[in-house]
């Protein structure tokens, strides 16, 4: 590996948590002749790129920074280089470097590697400093939303066998809807919950369910047993007064076979080619409704190129000022034409269409998760 690149990475790894970009700027000035370094962080709503050091947000579609973010590739505009700051598919923002005097592909490659390394360092220090989280907000989060965002595994994830993305709305005031995922190279687990209630009460219920599901998953339990454990945990606490709709998926990365548990779940739709269909699952009781519910798993098989959408009722029931619902017909039409977009861009576009429909922030929580199946393969073998 290039010694210069190694030295900059080492400097970043030794920098104070809140000073990563400052240290990177010093290193790039000394070793690459870059005199302007600016980190633009994508906000919680995926609608603005916000300078870490403050200043005007970038919101104009077509801006070089947005082209870089959307296409996940370097963009050179008027002597300024924009590079994606992304970790394993999770897009954090864009790095702006000026002046760009490098016409050497090797140097450009090193700078791109450093932008990726910066993403890893930011993720590594996320519990050590609030600087990056605060800079990515256009306004204050509600307490319930703060709790919900801390639960999330990220907003997008890529491996050679799949691409995955999820988003919550209203981003700065979400209450009970949420999603979770994890993978180990052999399996991918995805869950989406459609929480009930308001404010802290809704966020607390969702938190309990999420941690119960994680605890069961990390204990090696099968999917139906994960649902049963979470059901028991919620019932033990609320005694049936509160329950939570959930959809649990377990994807075998070697075969594309999906095991599913529909616990009063959000809607699951499949885009195969140009056709959109509901994935028919046996509806079962929401988590926590009764004591000792037994859940039954079902299976279906994905084909290479399939896309799954998981949406809560806050999507298709979103109503405008005259009471007109967004509706399942519009949702199907959107999914059918979403195939050329990446999962994150598809999720962002759907929620943007919803906001346009209601002409404001959404009144009800909405969760959208999009999964592209590009396998089958098991990595590391």
């Amino acid at each position: 590996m290039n010694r210069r690149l190694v030295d900059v990475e080492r400097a970043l790894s030794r920098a104070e948590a809140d000073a990563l970009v400052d240290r990177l700027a010093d290193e790039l000035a000394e070793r690459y002749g870059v005199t302007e370094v600016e980190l633009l962080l994508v906000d919680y709503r995926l609608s603005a790129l916000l300078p870490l050091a403050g200043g005007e947000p970038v919101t104009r579609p077509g801006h070089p920074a947005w082209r870089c973010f959307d296409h996940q590739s370097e963009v050179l505009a008027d002597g300024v280089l924009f590079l994606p700051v992304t970790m394993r598919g999770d897009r954090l923002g864009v790095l702006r470097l000026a002046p760009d005097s490098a016409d050497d592909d090797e140097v450009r490659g090193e700078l791109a590697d450093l932008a990726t390394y910066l993403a890893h360092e930011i993720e590594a220090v996320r519990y050590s400093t609030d600087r990056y989280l605060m800079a990515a907000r256009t306004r204050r989060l509600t307490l319930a939303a703060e709790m919900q965002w801390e639960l999330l595994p990220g907003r997008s994830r890529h491996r050679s066998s799949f691409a995955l993305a999820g988003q919550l709305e209203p981003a700065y005031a979400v209450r009970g809807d949420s999603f979770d995922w994890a993978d180990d190279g052999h399996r991918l687990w995805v869950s989406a919950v459609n929480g009930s209630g308001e404010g802290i009460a809704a966020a607390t219920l969702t938190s309990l369910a999420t941690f119960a599901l994680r605890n069961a998953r990390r204990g090696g339990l099968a999917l139906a047993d994960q649902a049963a454990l979470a059901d028991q945990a919620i019932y033990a606490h609320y005694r049936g007064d509160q329950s939570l709709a959930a959809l649990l998926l377990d994807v075998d990365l070697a075969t594309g076979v999906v095991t599913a548990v529909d616990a009063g779940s959000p809607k699951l739709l499949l885009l195969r080619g140009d056709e959109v269909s509901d994935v028919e699952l046996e509806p079962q009781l929401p988590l926590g409704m009764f004591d000792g519910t037994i859940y039954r798993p079902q299976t279906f098989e994905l084909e290479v190129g399939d896309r799954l959408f998981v949406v809560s009722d806050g999507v298709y029931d979103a109503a405008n000022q005259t009471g007109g619902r967004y509706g399942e017909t519009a949702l199907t039409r959107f999914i059918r034409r979403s195939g050329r977009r990446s999962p994150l861009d598809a999720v962002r576009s759907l929620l943007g269409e919803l906001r346009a429909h209601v002409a404001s922030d959404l009144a009800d929580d909405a969760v959208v998760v999009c999964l592209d199946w590009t396998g089958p393969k098991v990595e590391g073998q």
Side-chain angles (χ1 to χ4, degrees):
M1 183 181 291
N2 184 289
R3 182 67 188 181
R4 176 172 56 180
L5 183 63
V6 171
D7 289 343
V8 178
E9 291 181 351
R10 182 178 293 114
L12 276 179
S13 68
R14 294 173 176 175
E16 295 295 342
D18 61 305
L20 292 173
V21 177
D22 297 332
R23 186 60 182 273
L24 178 63
D26 292 341
E27 295 293 325
L28 294 186
E30 177 182 346
R31 302 174 190 277
Y32 292 89
V34 175
T35 57
E36 296 180 29
V37 176
E38 183 177 45
L39 175 61
L40 304 171
L41 292 164
V42 69
D43 87 310
Y44 283 68
R45 206 178 184 187
L46 295 170
S47 61
L49 290 168
L50 306 174
L52 176 66
E56 288 298 314
V58 179
T59 57
R60 176 174 60 84
H63 187 283
W66 273 116
R67 297 206 313 271
C68 172
F69 183 87
D70 290 338
H71 299 294
Q72 288 296 283
S73 60
E74 70 173 48
V75 172
L76 179 62
D78 298 324
V80 178
L81 182 64
F82 297 87
L83 296 167
V85 179
T86 301
M87 184 197 70
R88 296 186 177 91
D90 197 8
R91 306 185 200 178
L92 306 186
V94 171
L95 189 64
R96 175 186 175 275
L97 305 178
D100 175 60
S101 57
D103 55 5
D104 186 328
D105 288 343
E106 183 177 352
V107 171
R108 288 272 183 81
E110 290 176 19
L111 294 174
D113 287 344
L114 288 172
T116 300
Y117 192 80
L118 176 63
H120 284 259
E121 285 296 317
I122 290 172
E123 182 62 21
V125 303
R126 65 180 302 227
Y127 295 113
S128 302
T129 177
D130 290 334
R131 187 180 186 195
Y132 308 101
L133 293 174
M134 291 172 63
R137 303 177 181 191
T138 59
R139 59 182 184 268
R140 183 176 177 178
L141 270 68
T142 64
L143 178 54
E146 189 85 54
M147 294 169 65
Q148 293 297 74
W149 281 101
E150 286 296 307
L151 285 179
L152 298 185
R155 276 193 293 216
S156 51
R157 176 83 173 94
H158 289 176
R159 288 190 81 134
S160 57
S161 49
F162 67 84
L164 180 65
Q167 176 68 2
L168 306 178
E169 280 288 337
Y172 290 86
V174 66
R175 299 170 290 272
D177 287 9
S178 190
F179 60 86
D180 195 22
W181 60 59
D183 63 272
D184 65 2
H186 298 271
R187 310 195 75 82
L188 165 68
W189 296 271
V190 180
S191 63
V193 299
N194 188 355
S196 60
E198 298 293 331
I200 300 301
T204 300
L205 172 61
T206 297
S207 296
L208 176 58
T210 299
F211 283 114
L213 288 169
R214 286 177 179 172
N215 179 253
R217 184 185 74 220
R218 292 165 182 170
L221 299 186
L223 197 69
D225 294 330
Q226 294 175 28
L229 187 146
D231 172 71
Q232 292 168 14
I234 295 170
Y235 185 83
H237 186 74
Y238 291 101
R239 310 306 297 179
D241 291 336
Q242 294 287 336
S243 60
L244 183 121
L247 176 65
L248 311 183
L249 304 176
D250 176 348
V251 185
D252 186 327
L253 299 183
T255 64
V257 172
V258 181
T259 303
V261 171
D262 176 348
S265 75
K267 183 178 286 291
L268 179 63
L269 298 110
L270 170 67
L271 174 63
R272 177 170 290 169
D274 295 325
E275 295 299 318
V276 179
S277 60
D278 287 331
V279 178
E280 298 294 338
L281 298 172
E282 176 191 359
Q284 301 178 67
L285 293 173
L287 303 179
M289 182 169 284
F290 297 107
D291 188 19
T293 302
I294 297 174
Y295 291 92
R296 294 172 298 278
Q298 296 175 264
T299 61
F300 62 94
E301 189 168 352
L302 295 174
E303 296 179 3
V304 174
D306 281 354
R307 166 169 284 185
L308 287 174
F309 266 92
V310 182
V311 296
S312 65
D313 57 4
V315 175
Y316 46 86
D317 283 341
N320 58 26
Q321 293 180 349
T322 63
R325 294 170 63 248
Y326 179 72
E328 296 181 17
T329 300
L331 176 60
T332 298
R333 185 168 56 244
F334 174 88
I335 291 175
R336 182 176 292 116
R337 66 173 189 265
S338 76
R340 294 184 179 274
R341 296 187 174 104
S342 71
L344 184 63
D345 293 333
V347 166
R348 184 171 52 156
S349 295
L350 174 55
L351 290 170
E353 189 168 291
L354 281 183
R355 289 193 296 266
H357 174 75
V358 302
S360 67
D361 282 343
L362 301 186
D364 191 17
D365 284 1
V367 61
V368 180
V369 176
C370 179
L371 168 65
D372 282 354
W373 173 243
T374 54
K377 53 182 69 73
V378 175
E379 300 171 47
Q381 291 189 350

